[in-house]
Amino acid sequence: MDWISGIQNAIDYIEEHLTENISYELIAAQSFSSSYHFQRIFGILCGYTLGEYIRNRRLSLAGIELAAGNVKVIDIALKYGYESPDSFAKAFQKFHGILPSQAKNNGGNLKSFSRLILKISLEGGNIMSYRIERKPELIFTGYKRKFAGTPADRKEQEEAFYISSRTNQYILKGMSHDLETSYNIMNGFDDEGYNFWIASLLNGWLTDHLEEELGEDAARFEKIIVPAGLYLICETSRTKYPTMIFEELRKEAVCEWLPSSGYILSNAPEISVHHWPWKYDEAHPNRYTELWLPIEKIQ
């Protein structure tokens, strides 16, 4: 209950200070957690970043004020933290689809982004198989994109990234001699999005001699060093398309396991491991995805 109350306290604090310069550290302090831990939990639970929530709430309220009263656009822009009418107009149009001047003149429909309210309900009672492992330093080889925008935007970007980079995937699988396992690595989480890697574990010699093996194609890839650390590891059920249920597993781990575990998320990459046999057995499903969440003991 304290954990749930802490998250709600943080949301209430945001709402009370939307017209001020909000410190992420002070927001996180309302939930008795670090800024990094709070932002990661918030992103997993809500599907958008803390910065996106604050920005959308401000633009939603700005639209209401412009449509309801005889106020100047520049006054509303300054009230909600924009340094100029131009930067406000750009953000306003991206969110609402119309210019601030059109909102004043009833020239178009506005969008509403409601505040978050945590509702306490009886949940849990589920069996989640997990293990805690300390992993050594891992050196991957892969390639990345930065995903940003709404949850739907990021989902589309991920799908397009996979489809447009099949050649890179085949090269990695061939070098790793493992056609059934692939890795995704996520790091660099901030208000603009996060880095998303498609990667493989190669033997040490190959990792350091890509150019000798691939020539010009070596420029497609980079080395990703994941430091040694502790991980919560859990798995999806065996099914034909485990990626379809992966997000629910992440939420379950964060909502049900983490609050009572004595651990918090650590500032390290998150990894997913896709076990994807080429031949699918309907009678005995053999595809699944592992979630590796970096954790550390609460001090």
Side-chain angles (χ1 to χ4, degrees):
M1 184 67 71
D2 289 344
W3 185 77
I4 294 173
S5 299
I7 297 290
Q8 187 63 63
N9 287 343
I11 293 170
D12 293 342
Y13 178 86
I14 292 170
E15 293 295 326
E16 292 167 5
H17 297 82
L18 279 173
T19 59
E20 303 171 20
N21 185 16
I22 304 178
S23 163
Y24 284 10
E25 285 73 21
L26 287 178
I27 293 173
Q30 312 307 308
S31 67
F32 310 104
S33 63
S34 70
S35 177
Y36 178 85
H37 179 73
F38 179 81
Q39 289 184 68
R40 287 292 295 118
I41 293 293
F42 189 92
I44 291 172
L45 290 180
C46 302
Y48 39 78
T49 69
L50 181 58
E52 287 170 337
Y53 176 78
I54 295 171
R55 180 167 59 252
N56 290 346
R57 285 292 296 141
R58 284 172 169 167
L59 290 168
S60 182
L61 294 176
I64 293 172
E65 292 190 36
L66 285 171
N70 185 23
V71 292
K72 295 180 179 179
V73 172
I74 189 171
D75 291 338
I76 295 298
L78 294 173
K79 178 178 180 178
Y80 288 104
Y82 290 86
E83 295 182 355
S84 71
D86 288 342
S87 61
F88 174 65
K90 184 178 179 180
F92 191 93
Q93 185 172 30
K94 183 177 180 181
F95 179 77
H96 288 286
I98 61 174
L99 292 169
S101 57
Q102 292 175 296
K104 283 177 60 67
N105 299 324
N106 296 318
N109 294 326
L110 293 168
K111 293 180 181 178
S112 175
F113 187 86
S114 59
R115 67 173 292 173
L116 284 171
I117 299 176
L118 292 184
K119 294 183 178 180
I120 301 173
S121 60
L122 185 61
E123 294 183 354
N126 300 318
I127 296 175
M128 186 182 81
S129 298
Y130 74 91
R131 63 188 185 274
I132 296 175
E133 287 187 14
R134 183 167 294 280
K135 295 287 186 181
E137 179 183 86
L138 297 171
I139 301 177
F140 294 88
T141 300
Y143 56 101
K144 73 177 178 181
R145 289 276 175 84
K146 180 135 188 173
F147 295 158
T150 67
D153 290 338
R154 294 194 290 266
K155 186 67 175 176
E156 288 182 5
Q157 290 164 21
E158 181 179 332
E159 292 174 356
F161 186 37
Y162 265 100
I163 292 171
S164 65
S165 61
R166 295 297 190 196
T167 300
N168 289 353
Q169 294 166 49
Y170 296 148
I171 292 173
L172 287 176
K173 287 181 181 296
M175 289 193 299
S176 68
H177 301 292
D178 184 352
L179 301 180
E180 299 185 350
T181 309
S182 62
Y183 298 83
N184 292 145
I185 304 167
M186 293 191 292
N187 67 5
F189 297 95
D190 58 31
D191 281 344
E192 302 305 317
Y194 54 90
N195 296 322
F196 184 92
W197 300 79
I198 296 176
S200 286
L201 278 171
L202 309 182
N203 68 51
W205 188 91
L206 264 178
T207 301
D208 294 328
H209 296 81
L210 280 181
E211 191 168 352
E212 294 178 27
E213 292 295 302
L214 298 178
E216 293 181 355
D217 284 335
R220 298 169 180 257
F221 306 106
E222 298 179 55
K223 181 189 295 186
I224 312 111
I225 300 176
V226 176
L230 199 64
Y231 285 86
L232 165 69
I233 299 178
C234 41
E235 303 174 358
T236 67
S237 58
R238 268 61 172 173
T239 183
K240 189 170 186 178
Y241 299 113
T243 51
M244 301 292 287
I245 57 175
F246 180 69
E247 286 303 318
E248 290 304 314
L249 179 66
R250 291 177 81 223
K251 289 185 178 181
E252 183 180 346
V254 166
C255 292
E256 299 183 18
W257 185 85
L258 198 62
S260 59
S261 67
Y263 291 91
I264 59 173
L265 296 180
S266 63
N267 190 357
E270 177 183 329
I271 301 171
S272 56
V273 188
H274 305 288
H275 301 275
W276 201 275
W278 287 79
K279 185 176 180 181
Y280 179 71
D281 187 341
E282 290 281 0
H284 303 90
N286 51 8
R287 292 176 180 171
Y288 67 100
T289 295
E290 291 181 49
L291 168 67
W292 296 8
L293 277 179
I295 56 174
E296 61 185 3
K297 271 285 189 183
I298 297 175
Q299 300 297 321

